Amino acid sequence: MGRRHAVVIGGSFSGLAAGRVLSEFFDHVTVLDRDTFPEGSQDRAGVPQARHVHGLLVRGLIEYEKLFPGFERLAIGKGATFHDHTLDFAVLRPQGWQPRYRSDLKFLSASRELIESCVREVFRQIPNVEVRQRTTVTGLRVGPGGPRCVGVLIPAGSSGGREDIEADLVVDASGSVSRAPLWLQQAGITPPRETIVDPLAGYASRWFQGPAQWPADWWWWAGAYIRRRPDDLVEANFQLKEHNRWHLTLSGFNRQYPPTRERDFMGLLSRLRSPVIAEMVRLMEPISPVYSNRAIRNRWRHYERWNPGCSGFIAIGDAYVTYNPVYAQGMTAAALSAQLLRTCLNRYDTSNPELPRAFHLAQAAIQHDPWMLSAGVDLRFPFTAGEKPLAIRLFNLYLEGIGIAARGDSSVRRTLVEVAQLVRPLSDLFQTGIAARVAVGALKEGLRRLSARLRNESPARIPAMPPPVVSARTDPGEFTRAALS
Ligand SMILES: Cc1cc2nc3c(=O)[nH]c(=O)nc-3n(C[C@H](O)[C@H](O)[C@H](O)COP(=O)(O)OP(=O)(O)OC[C@H]3O[C@@H](n4cnc5c(N)ncnc54)[C@H](O)[C@@H]3O)c2cc1C
């Protein structure tokens, strides 16, 4: 058998993570990207979403370190820091401020550009991989026998023609804008069906330079998140990134798009449910324009149910399933799928025509939890476009109960955070112990609401921020030193 070659379309998170795994099974891996990659942690045209807040989930941090050993150390060298989200980050939920506690979960404070540049740097050290920049894939080469994908098409010079790159396996990692369904159609293959759950959301974001001196009594040194209630226009997520730069994203649902004119964007901050972000911004300097993004929705391309499919072709990352970014799952989901590809390649030979089907089926199972936590949760809104079966309505009712119980019950709170960070399965929220606590929490909340109504209290009152807990004071350098030791 000749040298075996895998081609990956797209050199972002899912392309690099998949390429890393493929390098263990194929003689050569070629990653093609239409973009020019910057040397450092700069913006690039191919991923416009990078201009908006990107948070890497705890599970994602663990998986990227496993896939790209040395990733964390490199990130620290480029200015990334770590924090404990439930201790150092203020979160105002619809029901009030999230109580503070030490989770011992390590969260990365770094921009998407920095995270991607670290992954790319470690990837480039793999001997049998090649990254071809400024190379736009324009089609798939499909041969007979199955059908089977045998390569990709790229433009050939200035003649307007196309040249092909042969491959034993083609991996589509070209993101949510993937044109693979169209290419498959052009090759005479019916593309997979897709499910779209659209909460009609939009983002507007801006960068700020942080103050030289952080007020001593502001314990929320890693950032603040003001989540929306049903009657609010937008929510705001303000995060510390490397070199004391701060990233602020306003997001709105149901076509309540946040303003993109600088004056309106800044003006809105003082009308949020809490003044905390407006006060933080007052100490900072804006260092970018306001960017906007409305390409936000959940989309699942059902390659796992695709018949007859196409051997030699798989889709991964956002090209397979795209999540509403409010839940910050995309980068982590890409790493999880890449790890799963390794499991499948250990079981199926690289030339086995069953590999794509087996991989897509396994990928569907592993993406179930993130999908429920994103699309499933978005379906609680009356305005979200998508099917709302009874099971989804019950799921959201239960989640509401979890949110209420989590306020007064540290065990529920911890489980919820760990599930949202994908370090525990969603099924853990349905364990008998948790379900009993949710029932008790719901009962207490019902009584509290009844008594508030009898006393004519306004439900819109926002409680004061949780005080700094002296015994739980965090050491900002603690995780960083541990990572370097
Ligand atoms: C506004 C917004 C905010 C987000 N926030 C978060 C967050 O907080 N946390 C999180 O984990 N995720 C977040 N995401 C999701 C995250 O950006 C993606 O899940 C992540 O980038 C992984 O995607 P990917 O590698 O599959 O695709 P992408 O990152 O989109 O990369 C696709 C790559 O393919 C290349 N490409 C495309 N077409 C071609 C072609 N024809 N030929 C060659 N190359 C091609 C592109 O240049 C690009 O490099 C957010 C997304 C959006 C839209």
Side-chain angles (χ1 to χ4, degrees), residues 10 12-14 33-34 44 49 54-55 112 137 318 325 330-331:
S12 179
F13 286 99
S14 56
D33 202 290
R34 60 184 177 184
R44 64 182 177 94
Q49 71 265 39
H54 268 65
R112 180 200 151 108
V137 174
D318 279 21
M331 295 185 287

Side-chain angles (χ1 to χ4, degrees), residues 9-15 32-35 37 44-50 52-57 64 112 116 135-138 173-179 183 203 239 293 295-296 316-319 321-323 325-334:
I9 311 168
S12 179
F13 286 99
S14 56
L32 308 169
D33 202 290
R34 60 184 177 184
D35 232 355
F37 294 122
R44 64 182 177 94
V47 283
Q49 71 265 39
H52 304 272
V53 158
H54 268 65
L56 183 62
L57 299 183
Y64 280 104
R112 180 200 151 108
E116 194 190 297
T135 309
T136 302
V137 174
T138 53
S174 60
S176 60
V177 296
S178 169
R179 294 172 67 79
W183 300 334
Y203 268 30
Q239 299 185 357
N293 190 314
I296 289 172
I316 197 165
D318 279 21
V321 58
T322 308
Y323 298 110
V326 162
Y327 309 99
Q329 303 183 112
M331 295 185 287
T332 301

